[in-house]
C-alpha cells in the first residue's frame, strides 16, 4: 500500500516514535460494529509486547448494540473466544486531551497473526486492494455534522441560536472549534474547514481527503477528539442524526474520487474530446459512470449501511436537506448522490450518518462502485428539481425510487444485497445485521411521549 509505508515498521522504530511523543500509556483501539471507539490502555512496560503481538479482546464485545444489550442470536457468544487487536503503526497518534497517552488504531487478527474475518477495517482494505489491482486508487473525505449542547434544567440543550451560518455562531464556537482543530493537527488529521451549520449550535467539520482506511480512521479520531474537547469546555458534542423533530439533522456526507496510476482523475470524462459523442451529462467517463451506476444500483443497501438506526430515518425525510430518493444529480443537494464542483471529479454520497461504522459503510460504497465498474452500469440522466418537493407522479416520470423509509426496511435492503454482504464477508455482514436488528427490536417496543399524549385517553 503506497500510502501506508510505516505498516512494516519494526517494533523498535515504533517504540522510538512513542518515546518521542513522551507516551507512558498506549490506548489500543478499534471501532465496534456500531462505530463506537473501544479500547484498552497499555502501560509503557508492555508497549513492545502489545506492538508485536497485539492485545486480546473478547469477540463477544462485537455482539452488542448501542443499548449495550447483546444481540440474542449473536455468533459472538461467551464461548467465542478472543481476537488480537494489533496496533497499526500508520495509525499512531498522541492524545492531546489525555496527556502522557498515545493511541493506535488496531487491526483485528487471529492468534496466528492472520487477519480475522470479523475485522471491518480489513474488509475495507480488501476493497482498496481490489481497486489497486485495476490500477485505481481512491480518495475519500468525510464531512461530519454535530450539535454542541450545554447543560439545561431539562437535560442538554443546543447552545444559543445565533442564526444559520452566521459569523456570530462561528465566534461563539470558536474556542471549541480551534481546540478541536489543534488536537486534530497534532493527531495527524488535516481539516479543510469548519463551519457553523443550519441548526442552533450545529457545526460541520470537513476532513481533508485521504486514502480510504486513513479517511475512516480520521473520522473516528475526529469524533473522539470533538467529544473529549467538548467535555473539557463544559459542552456535549453529539453526532446523533436527528436530535429534535423540527431542527436540522446531522449527516455524514462522503466524497469519493477515483485516480489512475498516472495521477489523473479516473472519474472525469475524456477531456480532449476524442470521438464525436456529446459528453455524458454527469461529466464522467466510463469508469466514473460505472462507479456512480454501481452506487445507485446498491443505493438502498448502502443507505442501510450508512444510516442503520431508528433515528436515522427521522433525518432522511423528503424536503429536509437530507436525501430521501435514490437518485444522482449535478450540484443539487436534494439527491442521494451529488456531483459537486465544476471539475466533475468526485461524487458525494449524502445519506449516511454518524450511527454508522465508517469502515463498514465505506466497504459497501467501494464494493458497490466496483460492481458498477465491472458490469459497466450506466447511471442514466441526472435528476432534475428539488426532489423532496416533487409529486409521486413527477418522481415516477424521472424513474426515481425512494430510499428506505425505516430502519427495518434499510436493514432488509442490506440483507438482500449480495454484493455488499460478500464485500463484508459473512462474519462482519451477518453479525452486523444481527446487532443492528437487535437494537431496532428494542426501539420498536418503546412507547414515546407522543404516543401516550395521542392514544392515552380516559
Ligand atoms: N444537515 C443536512 C443533512 O442532514 C445536510 C446539510 C448540508 O447540505 O450540508 O444531511
Ligand atoms: Mg453540511
Amino acid at each position: 500500500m503506497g500510502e501506508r509505508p510505516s505498516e512494516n515498521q519494526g517494533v523498535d522504530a515504533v517504540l522510538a516514535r512513542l518515546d518521542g511523543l513522551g507516551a507512558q500509556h498506549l490506548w489500543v483501539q478499534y471501532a465496534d460494529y456500531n462505530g463506537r471507539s473501544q479500547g484498552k490502555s497499555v502501560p509503557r512496560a508492555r508497549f513492545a509486547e502489545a506492538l508485536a503481538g497485539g492485545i486480546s479482546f473478547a469477540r463477544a464485545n462485537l455482539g452488542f448494540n448501542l443499548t449495550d444489550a447483546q444481540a440474542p442470536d449473536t455468533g459472538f457468544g461467551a464461548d467465542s473466544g478472543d481476537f488480537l487487536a494489533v496496533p497499526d503503526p500508520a495509525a499512531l497518534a498522541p492524545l492531546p486531551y489525555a496527556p502522557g497517552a498515545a493511541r493506535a488504531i488496531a487491526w483485528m487478527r487471529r492468534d496466528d497473526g492472520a487477519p480475522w474475518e470479523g475485522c471491518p477495517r480489513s474488509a475495507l482494505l480488501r476493497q482498496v486492494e481490489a481497486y489497486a489491482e485495476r490500477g485505481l486508487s481512491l480518495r475519500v473525505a468525510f464531512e461530519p455534522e454535530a450539535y454542541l449542547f450545554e447543560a439545561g434544567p431539562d437535560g442538554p440543550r443546543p447552545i444559543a441560536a445565533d442564526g444559520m451560518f452566521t459569523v456570530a455562531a462561528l465566534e461563539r464556537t470558536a474556542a471549541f472549534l480551534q481546540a478541536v482543530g489543534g488536537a486534530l493537527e497534532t493527531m495527524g488529521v488535516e481539516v479543510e474547514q469548519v463551519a457553523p451549520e443550519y441548526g442552533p449550535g450545529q457545526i460541520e467539520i470537513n476532513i481533508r481527503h485521504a486514502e480510504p482506511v486513513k479517511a475512516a480512521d480520521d473520522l473516528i479520531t475526529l469524533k473522539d477528539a470533538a467529544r473529549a474537547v467538548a467535555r473539557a469546555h463544559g459542552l456535549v458534542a453529539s453526532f446523533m442524526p436527528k436530535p429534535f423533530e423540527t431542527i436540522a439533522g446531522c449527516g455524514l456526507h462522503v466524497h469519493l474520487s477515483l485516480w489512475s496510476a498516472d495521477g489523473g482523475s479516473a472519474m472525469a470524462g475524456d477531456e480532449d474530446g476524442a470521438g464525436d459523442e456529446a459528453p455524458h451529462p454527469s461529466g464522467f467517463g466510463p469508469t466514473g459512470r460505472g462507479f456512480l451506476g454501481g452506487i445507485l444500483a446498491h443505493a438502498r443497501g448502502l443507505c442501510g449501511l450508512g444510516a442503520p438506526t431508528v433515528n436515522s430515518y427521522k433525518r432522511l425525510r423528503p424536503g429536509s436537506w437530507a436525501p430521501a430518493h435514490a437518485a444522482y444529480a449535478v450540484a443539487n443537494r436534494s439527491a442521494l448522490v451529488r456531483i459537486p464542483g465544476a471539475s466533475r471529479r468526485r461524487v458525494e454520497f449524502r445519506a449516511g450518518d454518524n450511527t454508522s461504522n465508517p469502515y463498514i459503510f465505506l466497504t459497501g460504497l467501494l464494493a458497490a462502485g466496483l460492481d458498477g465498474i465491472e458490469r459497466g452500469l450506466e447511471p442514466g440522466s441526472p435528476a432534475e428539481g428539488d426532489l423532496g418537493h416533487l409529486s409521486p407522479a413527477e418522481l415516477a416520470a424521472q424513474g426515481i425510487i425512494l430510499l428506505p423509509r425505516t430502519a427495518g426496511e434499510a436493514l432488509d435492503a442490506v440483507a438482500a444485497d449480495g454484493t455488499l454482504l460478500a464485500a463484508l464477508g459473512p462474519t462482519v455482514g451477518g453479525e452486523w445485521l444481527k446487532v443492528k436488528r437487535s437494537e431496532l427490536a428494542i426501539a420498536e417496543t418503546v412507547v414515546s411521549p407522543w404516543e401516550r399524549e395521542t392514544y392515552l385517553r380516559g
Side-chain angles (χ1 to χ4, degrees):
M1 297 291 314
E3 289 189 46
R4 311 186 68 76
S6 53
E7 207 162 313
N8 297 321
Q9 259 180 18
V11 168
D12 288 346
V14 182
L15 274 177
R17 282 171 62 204
L18 284 168
D19 285 339
L21 296 172
Q24 292 302 314
H25 310 275
L26 179 64
W27 296 7
V28 179
Q29 63 181 69
Y30 61 88
D32 78 355
Y33 288 1
N34 305 292
R36 281 191 296 192
S37 283
Q38 301 197 326
K40 294 181 186 174
S41 181
V42 174
R44 174 67 185 83
R46 301 237 318 133
F47 280 10
E49 210 178 321
L51 291 170
I55 62 172
S56 63
F57 284 86
R59 293 184 181 188
N61 293 5
L62 296 170
F64 285 73
N65 62 41
L66 285 174
T67 73
D68 283 346
Q70 192 176 34
D73 51 352
T74 181
F76 299 139
D79 57 344
S80 62
D82 293 346
F83 66 84
L84 290 169
V86 181
D88 179 353
L92 205 68
L95 287 168
Y97 45 84
R103 76 94 220 269
I105 297 177
W107 299 108
M108 299 173 184
R109 304 259 196 232
R110 307 179 72 92
D111 286 347
D112 63 3
W116 176 47
E117 60 276 11
C119 177
R121 201 165 178 263
S122 303
L124 178 55
L125 186 61
R126 284 198 302 272
Q127 286 302 310
V128 174
E129 287 168 351
Y131 278 83
E133 277 165 23
R134 300 181 147 259
L136 294 169
S137 65
L138 293 120
R139 308 298 293 178
V140 173
F142 282 106
E143 294 185 348
E145 295 174 326
Y147 274 95
L148 283 177
F149 295 95
E150 60 193 2
D154 310 313
R157 60 171 182 218
I159 63 168
D162 293 287
M164 60 180 187
F165 316 127
T166 58
V167 168
L170 192 56
E171 184 272 326
R172 190 183 297 277
T173 51
F176 165 79
L177 289 173
Q178 285 162 14
V180 175
L184 291 176
E185 197 179 327
T186 308
M187 297 177 80
V189 177
E190 268 188 86
V191 171
E192 285 265 310
Q193 54 185 26
V194 296
E197 250 288 349
Y198 182 28
Q202 194 183 22
I203 56 166
E204 175 171 322
I205 303 179
N206 298 344
I207 310 172
R208 186 159 175 77
H209 58 76
E211 57 89 12
V213 175
K214 175 164 166 48
D217 289 350
D218 284 355
L219 177 68
I220 296 287
T221 304
L222 182 145
K223 290 200 283 183
D224 287 350
R227 291 193 182 105
V229 171
R231 280 195 288 273
H233 282 71
L235 300 170
V236 171
S238 172
F239 295 82
M240 180 175 176
K242 191 77 172 177
F244 302 101
E245 292 88 340
T246 53
I247 63 174
C250 292
L252 175 67
H253 301 164
V254 193
H255 292 254
L256 303 129
S257 58
L258 285 173
W259 301 89
S260 325
D262 64 5
S265 167
M267 213 89 157
D270 184 1
E271 274 161 12
D272 51 30
D276 302 328
E277 285 172 34
H280 189 268
S282 63
F284 288 169
T287 306
R289 294 206 302 278
F291 184 80
L292 173 56
I295 287 181
L296 293 170
H298 296 282
R300 288 174 54 85
L302 291 173
C303 186
L305 292 181
T309 63
V310 73
N311 189 249
S312 302
Y313 294 84
K314 310 278 163 78
R315 168 180 165 256
L316 294 170
R317 314 266 326 157
S320 70
W321 298 98
H325 301 92
Y328 89 97
V330 176
N332 184 340
R333 285 187 163 76
S334 66
L336 170 69
V337 184
R338 183 171 80 103
I339 302 178
S343 60
R344 307 282 182 90
R345 286 188 179 161
R346 63 183 200 272
V347 294
E348 178 192 36
F349 185 88
R350 294 172 61 85
D353 66 47
N354 281 288
T355 59
S356 60
N357 171 306
Y359 305 96
I360 292 177
F361 181 23
L362 262 188
T363 298
L365 282 165
L366 300 198
L370 193 57
D371 182 47
I373 294 171
E374 280 171 353
R375 292 201 284 146
L377 295 181
E378 285 291 337
S381 302
E384 301 288 348
D386 183 345
L387 305 186
H389 295 104
L390 298 187
S391 68
E394 287 167 323
L395 290 167
Q398 294 194 54
I400 296 173
I401 60 163
L402 280 167
L403 291 173
R405 301 298 312 125
T406 63
E409 247 187 76
L411 297 179
D412 288 349
V414 177
D417 193 319
T419 302
L420 303 184
L421 290 178
L424 294 168
T427 306
V428 174
E431 297 300 326
W432 177 88
L433 267 171
K434 290 178 194 168
V435 166
K436 297 324 293 180
R437 281 185 161 146
S438 72
E439 189 177 306
L440 176 61
I442 294 170
E444 283 173 340
T445 66
V446 174
V447 179
S448 71
W450 180 90
E451 287 172 87
R452 264 190 295 276
E453 269 164 41
T454 309
Y455 305 119
L456 195 161
R457 298 280 159 89

